[in-house]
Amino acid sequence: MRNLVLGAVLVGLVVLAALLSFVWTPFDPVKVDAAHRLLDVGAAHWFGTDKFGRDLLSQIMVGARTTLYVGVVAVGIAAVIGTPLGILAGMSPRWLGEFVMRVNDLVLAFPALLLAIMFGAVFGADTLTAMVAIGIATIPSFARIARSGTLQVMSTEFVLAARAGGRSKLTIAVRHVLPNVSGLLIVQASVSFAIAVLAEAALSFLGFGTRPPTPSWGRMLQESQELLTVHPRLALVPGIAIAVAVLGFNLLGDGLRDRLDPRLAAKV
């Protein structure tokens, strides 16, 4: 329960910052102001300013929006493609299911960062490319979870009764399999969101993610490197933001797993 509450609070802070940035930020997050370069923490600039005179708090708020946008789209792509693929593999004859999963393993061999860099080299490095690459790299995780859950559900009495009654595979998948594996998929979505946050930050840090002038936590880290020894807060602020988001989604996933898994819920 504690993991679920703490994770929800941390994720809520990130979501609140992102939503608030649509209507208000303390300063223009992309406005360059040479007169206010590298200001320390103060009443006007709570987190100070960067080497271009941009307010760090405003960048963090808009960066949260970018991070959530990438996470939602990437996880959405993975869930929409990976879930039916895994259910299909679990309900198909053994040879077909094994073939689908071996193809799935082939995709799994390509890390999200490597795939995103390849996509960036071919299609151009930007936020859209990063989202699609991260989403594709995450498909195998959803497919494996969906297939594992499907194999368990297919051996239950109510599914055997439905098959004996002449129900179609599509009906069984929609009415029986999907509702029973949804809990596992929700947990996987939370964990995958944390991975997407890290992947987006890493890609932006390397120059393969969100393009300037759109604020990004990863690029804030990259821009802080040359001043790291004299102004460590430039890296500390986005670093803490990334850590809060990743920790929040991981704790949320753990809490949801404890609640949605009957075996673990009985011990809570």
Side-chain angles (χ1 to χ4, degrees), residues 10 35 40 67 75 78 107 133 146 160 200 211 214:
L10 294 178
D40 289 328
T67 296
V75 174
V107 177
L160 294 176
E200 190 281 327
R211 308 284 294 188
T214 304

Side-chain angles (χ1 to χ4, degrees), residues 87 91 168-179:
I87 293 176
M91 296 183 66
S168 67
K169 288 188 176 181
L170 180 60
T171 300
I172 293 174
V174 174
R175 294 187 178 182
H176 301 293
V177 176
L178 187 58

Side-chain angles (χ1 to χ4, degrees), residues 120-201:
V122 176
F123 303 107
D126 57 16
T127 306
L128 178 61
T129 303
M131 290 187 299
V132 173
I134 295 171
I136 292 175
T138 312
I139 288 174
S141 300
F142 279 87
R144 291 171 72 93
I145 291 293
R147 180 176 184 260
S148 176
T150 300
L151 290 174
Q152 294 180 19
V153 174
M154 291 300 291
S155 62
T156 57
E157 293 182 359
F158 59 86
V159 171
L160 294 176
R163 295 175 65 182
R167 297 287 181 88
S168 67
K169 288 188 176 181
L170 180 60
T171 300
I172 293 174
V174 174
R175 294 187 178 182
H176 301 293
V177 176
L178 187 58
N180 281 281
V181 301
S182 60
L184 297 173
L185 296 173
I186 290 172
V187 175
Q188 181 60 42
S190 181
V191 174
S192 297
F193 216 112
I195 296 173
V197 170
L198 279 176
E200 190 281 327

Side-chain angles (χ1 to χ4, degrees), residues 4 8 24 41 45 47 68 70 107 145 161 165 170 179 211 259:
L4 182 61
W24 175 83
V41 175
H45 301 277
F47 294 164
L68 292 178
V70 171
V107 177
I145 291 293
L170 180 60
R211 308 284 294 188
R259 283 293 172 183

